[in-house]
Amino acid sequence: MVCAWIAGSVIAVFFATVIIDSAFVDGEYVPRTNDSFYHARRILDAAIGNRGFYEFDTRLHVPDGAWISWPWGYDYLAGQALRLALAIKPSLDPLGFVSFIPVAFVVVNAGLFVAAVNQTGIRASLAMAAMLAFALSPLVQLMHSVGMIDHHFLEFTFVLLTIWLGQRCFAHPERAGPAVALGTSLGVAVAFHNGLFSLQLPVLACAVIVWLKGNRLPRAPLCALAASLLVATLIASLPSSALRAGMFEFALLSWFHVYIAACSAAVLLFLAWRPFTIPNLALLGALSAGLAVPILQEVLHGASFVTGELSILGEIQEVQSPFRMYFETWGPRQTMSIYSWLLVAAPVLAVWFAWRIIAESKPEKVFFAVWAVFGLGLLLTQYRLHYFGLFALFTGPVLILDNLAKRYAWQSGIALVAALGAILVAYQPSLRERLFIIYAPAGEPDYAFSRDLYAELEPYCEQDPGLVLASTNDGSAILFHTECSVLSNNFI
């Protein structure tokens, strides 16, 4: 498996750096994509700027200012890493250092991917095929490419951590260590993105399904999972200004997230202390309904985010579903180039794993099936949520092939050749249309036309900072390049 990690990392790093021309323009690094501009500005301010680290931006949505919807974890820690790097090497290009953080994390995520694959029980030879699917994916490439300072690669990290640790936890339900590790990971995740509290849902769903099947999990590890989740969430949330201000909102790291962890802990404790009976099932339903009442409005708010109905989200490309991209905005050719033909398998895999939830008896197998249905559902809902379903998309076909090979006693070489051949066929659109293309500066065609304007605007804003009127798509780039303020960016 170490060989799979090394080989996959080498391939993934190559594709993450091959598009460096879009992140290194006219002798300087530029962030790739809209949100990366704002992350870069916030990280540089935290590390070397006069403003320091902030969670409320007075230069945004002038004159009121605005809370930043992203939590403190990523930008603050990246800023501290940059400060340390500059202390070691003062001549270091700050933005160049930050631009390569996603590339470094492709090695981390490749390792977590291999660890999670190993937990599924797939034979090592076929695990190599799953790793190849990971390394060749344009979705993985774009998340980890040079200059892609957006936080999605870190969300992918916590997704893979949940899959790996969740399988370990349910494979060894008698041990408290894996349960504590899983609970801690789930709790820390919310410091890196508000929406990552959703990672708790597959864990709870698996615990409830195993409970319904009469396979009661040991009490001590469930209590350890509940306690570590609640404590880690509280610790991760304490640095948030929104929490210290007493706010209770889905869109900000606040008491809402602590309450969600408390609800999850309450359900886990119920499962630990009550065996499955019809009265206890009714009691669990009543408990869940009661706990949901205080968060109903925020849950509906979150649902409008997932469906793309919130504010201007429906017009933002990353919020569109692959179906809309295929039939309306991108067309078949471009959509398949980024998803590969594996996209066609996603609905089929979701149905197959839904059946496995019912058929499987081992808790770790149930967890993986639950996760696959959850992740593939989100992948098919929004482009930006693809990282939730990538693991199931890459490993699902290989897992099915592995099951067939074991059932019919196929030689491992035959199964491997079949897997590699299927992957190469599935990635033909990507290899032809996506993996080796030249992207526009910053990965944004519009930025290539407006870049010279920022250079002219910068000295004026430095001399007399003012308000720039522009579209929401230009807001983050203006905040990055100048000292002027804007009415809005894509946070609005």
Side-chain angles (χ1 to χ4, degrees):
M1 299 303 286
V2 174
C3 292
W5 175 39
I6 294 174
S9 296
V10 169
I11 297 172
V13 167
F14 169 77
F15 283 114
T17 55
V18 75
I19 56 176
I20 191 173
D21 286 348
S22 64
F24 191 72
V25 183
D26 298 332
E28 62 180 9
Y29 286 95
V30 295
R32 294 191 79 254
T33 74
N34 194 297
D35 286 351
S36 292
F37 278 101
Y38 195 90
H39 275 294
R41 178 71 274 155
R42 195 183 186 201
I43 292 169
L44 293 176
D45 282 341
I48 57 177
N50 296 325
R51 303 176 70 201
F53 182 74
Y54 46 86
E55 297 177 82
F56 185 89
D57 194 345
T58 56
R59 294 175 58 200
L60 181 63
H61 301 181
V62 173
D64 300 321
W67 287 96
I68 302 171
S69 57
W70 299 326
W72 64 273
Y74 171 40
D75 292 337
Y76 176 79
L77 293 177
Q80 294 306 303
L82 175 57
R83 291 183 66 181
L84 176 61
L86 288 172
I88 297 172
K89 186 178 181 181
S91 62
L92 187 70
D93 180 352
L95 190 56
F97 173 84
V98 175
S99 295
F100 276 89
I101 291 178
V103 180
F105 258 82
V106 76
V107 180
V108 176
N109 288 343
L112 291 174
F113 183 88
V114 169
V117 169
N118 190 43
Q119 285 293 138
T120 65
I122 296 175
R123 66 183 69 181
S125 58
L126 289 181
M128 291 285 291
M131 190 71 239
L132 180 63
F134 169 95
L136 288 179
S137 173
L139 296 169
V140 173
Q141 173 203 29
L142 294 175
M143 266 195 296
H144 299 90
S145 61
V146 180
M148 192 64 174
I149 308 171
D150 205 351
H151 52 246
H152 297 317
F153 70 91
L154 264 178
E155 293 180 81
F156 192 36
T157 299
F158 281 99
V159 164
L160 293 172
L161 269 173
T162 302
I163 298 170
W164 173 45
L165 296 176
Q167 290 182 94
R168 289 186 67 238
C169 178
F170 286 105
H172 305 284
E174 74 287 351
R175 292 164 51 186
V180 171
L182 176 61
T184 302
S185 173
L186 293 173
V188 171
V190 297
F192 293 87
H193 194 279
N194 302 325
L196 288 182
F197 72 88
S198 60
L199 296 176
Q200 299 167 38
L201 294 177
V203 176
L204 289 179
C206 178
V208 171
I209 291 169
V210 171
W211 181 75
L212 290 173
K213 291 186 175 185
N215 188 4
R216 190 177 180 186
L217 297 171
R219 181 176 298 168
L222 278 181
C223 293
L225 174 59
S228 58
L229 168 61
L230 185 56
V231 171
T233 302
L234 182 59
I235 293 174
S237 303
L238 282 175
S240 173
S241 298
L243 180 130
R244 297 199 303 272
M247 301 175 73
F248 189 91
E249 290 189 22
F250 159 83
L252 299 172
L253 181 53
S254 63
W255 287 105
F256 169 83
H257 295 83
V258 178
Y259 181 78
I260 288 290
C263 292
S264 298
V267 171
L268 290 170
L269 292 175
F270 182 94
L271 300 177
W273 290 91
R274 295 270 186 170
F276 169 66
T277 63
I278 297 302
N280 282 340
L281 178 60
L283 190 58
L284 176 61
L287 172 65
S288 301
L291 292 172
V293 171
I295 59 174
L296 184 59
Q297 182 176 353
E298 291 299 320
V299 168
L300 293 175
H301 180 72
S304 65
F305 170 79
V306 174
T307 59
E309 297 175 357
L310 181 65
S311 186
I312 64 169
L313 282 178
E315 304 305 316
I316 298 177
Q317 179 176 290
E318 69 173 20
V319 182
Q320 297 176 5
S321 73
F323 300 109
R324 183 179 175 188
M325 293 165 62
Y326 186 95
F327 290 106
E328 296 181 22
T329 54
W330 281 25
R333 184 174 177 176
Q334 290 300 313
T335 302
M336 287 306 177
S337 73
I338 197 166
Y339 281 96
S340 81
W341 286 112
L342 289 176
L343 178 64
V344 177
V348 178
L349 288 171
V351 173
W352 185 77
F353 278 114
W355 173 70
R356 298 307 303 169
I357 293 174
I358 301 171
E360 292 287 0
S361 57
K362 294 182 178 180
E364 67 273 22
K365 301 293 185 182
V366 174
F367 172 76
F368 182 53
V370 169
W371 176 271
V373 173
F374 170 77
L376 290 169
L378 291 178
L379 179 145
L380 294 171
T381 300
Q382 283 189 20
Y383 170 70
R384 80 167 303 279
L385 301 177
H386 60 75
Y387 43 82
F388 283 97
L390 287 184
F391 185 82
L393 190 67
F394 298 154
T395 60
V398 177
L399 185 62
I400 294 174
L401 180 62
D402 190 44
N403 289 341
L404 291 173
K406 290 175 181 176
R407 176 178 297 182
Y408 298 106
W410 294 348
Q411 293 183 0
S412 58
I414 295 176
L416 177 59
V417 170
L420 293 176
I423 289 170
L424 291 176
V425 170
Y427 276 99
Q428 283 305 303
S430 304
L431 292 168
R432 290 196 313 266
E433 308 283 349
R434 181 64 57 173
L435 288 174
F436 295 100
I437 68 172
I438 299 175
Y439 286 86
E444 300 278 357
D446 291 344
Y447 179 78
F449 295 101
S450 58
R451 178 171 167 79
D452 291 340
L453 295 177
Y454 300 131
E456 295 185 22
L457 183 62
E458 183 178 9
Y460 290 103
C461 288
E462 185 175 357
Q463 180 181 356
D464 184 17
L467 176 65
V468 178
L469 302 181
S471 72
T472 56
N473 282 330
D474 296 320
S476 293
I478 292 169
L479 292 174
F480 173 80
H481 281 289
T482 78
E483 292 300 317
C484 282
S485 302
V486 295
L487 285 177
S488 66
N489 64 357
N490 283 338
F491 288 160
I492 194 169

